[in-house]
Amino acid sequence: IIGTDAVLVVSTSNGIWIDGDYVNVSGFDISGAKSYGIAVSKTHVKIENNVVHHNVTTNGTIGNCGIASGWASALKVLVGGEDVIVRGNTVYENCGEGIAITRGVNVLVENNTVRDNYSVNIYIDNSPFVVVQNNTSTCTGINLRKSRRANGITLGEESYSGWGSQRHDISILNNTVDGCEYGIIAWESDVGGTLKNVIISGNTITNGIVRSIAIATLTNENVLVQNNLIYAELTVSNPDGVTLINNTIIGETPTLFGDVPASH
């Protein structure tokens, strides 16, 4: 599906729902969807060079998000989404997460610009084999959740029937984050899982509100945080299974056992 310069202003539930394999979606400007701007639930899909903004209107409008008890994501890889590329998109000012991978498998998220979405700009939720690299995630304060800015990049593990714990083999590489609540944070699992085989490397977090990088998980295995340039304190709730190497902190030094909350 090639929609170069195509503008979709929709009032239906979703903008584009990809329910077929080997589909490429490129060049659309999508706004006004009640739920997802773009949703993927199949395999071998590419989502490239789209602009996705002012969607998830069931949860409000920019400056007044949060009217619903739950919400969708502007650009979403759902269960069934496998071997998916999300590249070169601009995703901003949606009343849900910006880009979210929820039970997706083998997903590449790269070279996207994501700004001022509700709660989280880039959200990796209970998904294995995900690479998030070379993205720009920024928060300016114009879209708040309970008076708080979105997180730049979040690794969560929410509970889904029959899915269990599958947050593993995730790489967060060479991203730039600015002005967000947390720059990069891994929340504690909702299903008792372990943060496993995770690399957070080469990221630049220039500014923010709470923490630059926070590992709030209670059990970890083979988690490496290295070569990041961060504006302030790096915090790890439990250092077992976590390795810190060559992170450059401007003005402060990294600490372990910090005051990071254990849930989101």
Side-chain angles (χ1 to χ4, degrees):
I1 303 174
I2 301 176
T4 303
D5 299 323
V7 177
L8 298 182
V9 180
V10 297
S11 59
T12 57
S13 181
N14 302 297
I16 298 175
W17 187 295
I18 302 166
D19 194 27
D21 301 325
Y22 295 95
V23 176
N24 297 349
V25 174
S26 179
F28 288 90
D29 185 313
I30 303 170
S31 64
K34 294 179 181 179
S35 187
Y36 306 114
I38 300 176
V40 180
S41 58
K42 292 294 183 178
T43 67
H44 306 290
V45 173
K46 292 182 180 179
I47 310 298
E48 298 179 301
N49 304 318
N50 302 282
V51 180
V52 187
H53 60 102
H54 299 97
N55 297 286
V56 199
T57 62
T58 55
N59 195 37
T61 56
I62 185 68
N64 190 37
C65 299
I67 64 174
S69 58
W71 51 86
S73 311
L75 199 165
K76 181 83 155 184
V77 179
L78 297 149
V79 63
E82 186 169 350
D83 296 323
V84 176
I85 294 173
V86 179
R87 177 190 289 137
N89 303 280
T90 300
V91 182
Y92 68 95
E93 295 179 16
N94 299 278
C95 277
E97 294 89 4
I99 297 172
I101 315 303
T102 300
R103 293 181 289 172
V105 178
N106 193 26
V107 179
L108 172 63
V109 180
E110 70 174 359
N111 297 328
N112 301 282
T113 299
V114 193
R115 173 178 61 81
D116 289 320
N117 297 284
Y118 187 67
S119 181
V120 184
N121 276 339
I122 300 175
Y123 186 29
I124 311 306
D125 176 21
N126 208 340
S127 298
F129 305 108
V130 177
V131 176
V132 178
Q133 65 183 15
N134 299 319
N135 302 281
T136 299
S137 174
T138 58
C139 306
T140 69
I142 65 172
N143 194 5
L144 303 177
R145 177 186 178 189
K146 297 180 180 179
S147 301
R148 299 170 65 178
R149 298 186 183 192
N151 294 327
I153 301 171
T154 293
L155 283 67
E157 191 169 61
E158 297 186 35
S159 177
Y160 301 97
S161 178
W163 188 255
S165 170
Q166 297 197 46
R167 179 175 57 176
H168 61 83
D169 293 277
I170 299 169
S171 299
I172 310 296
L173 309 173
N174 304 319
N175 302 281
T176 299
V177 182
D178 183 77
C180 299
E181 188 80 3
Y182 289 88
I184 300 171
I185 183 165
W187 290 115
E188 171 63 350
S189 172
D190 289 343
V191 294
T194 296
L195 187 68
K196 182 177 180 180
N197 298 339
V198 172
I199 299 174
I200 300 172
S201 178
N203 302 282
T204 300
I205 305 174
T206 54
N207 196 4
I209 306 301
V210 181
R211 299 291 187 200
S212 54
I213 298 176
I215 308 299
T217 45
L218 300 180
T219 56
N220 308 291
E221 180 180 336
N222 192 30
V223 176
L224 175 62
V225 183
Q226 68 174 6
N227 300 329
N228 300 284
L229 177 63
I230 52 182
Y231 71 92
E233 186 174 80
L234 183 157
T235 307
V236 179
S237 293
N238 180 3
D240 292 343
V242 180
T243 301
L244 308 179
I245 301 175
N246 197 35
N247 298 286
T248 302
I249 296 113
I250 301 171
E252 298 185 41
T253 57
T255 60
L256 301 178
F257 299 104
D259 57 348
V260 179
S263 67
H264 53 287

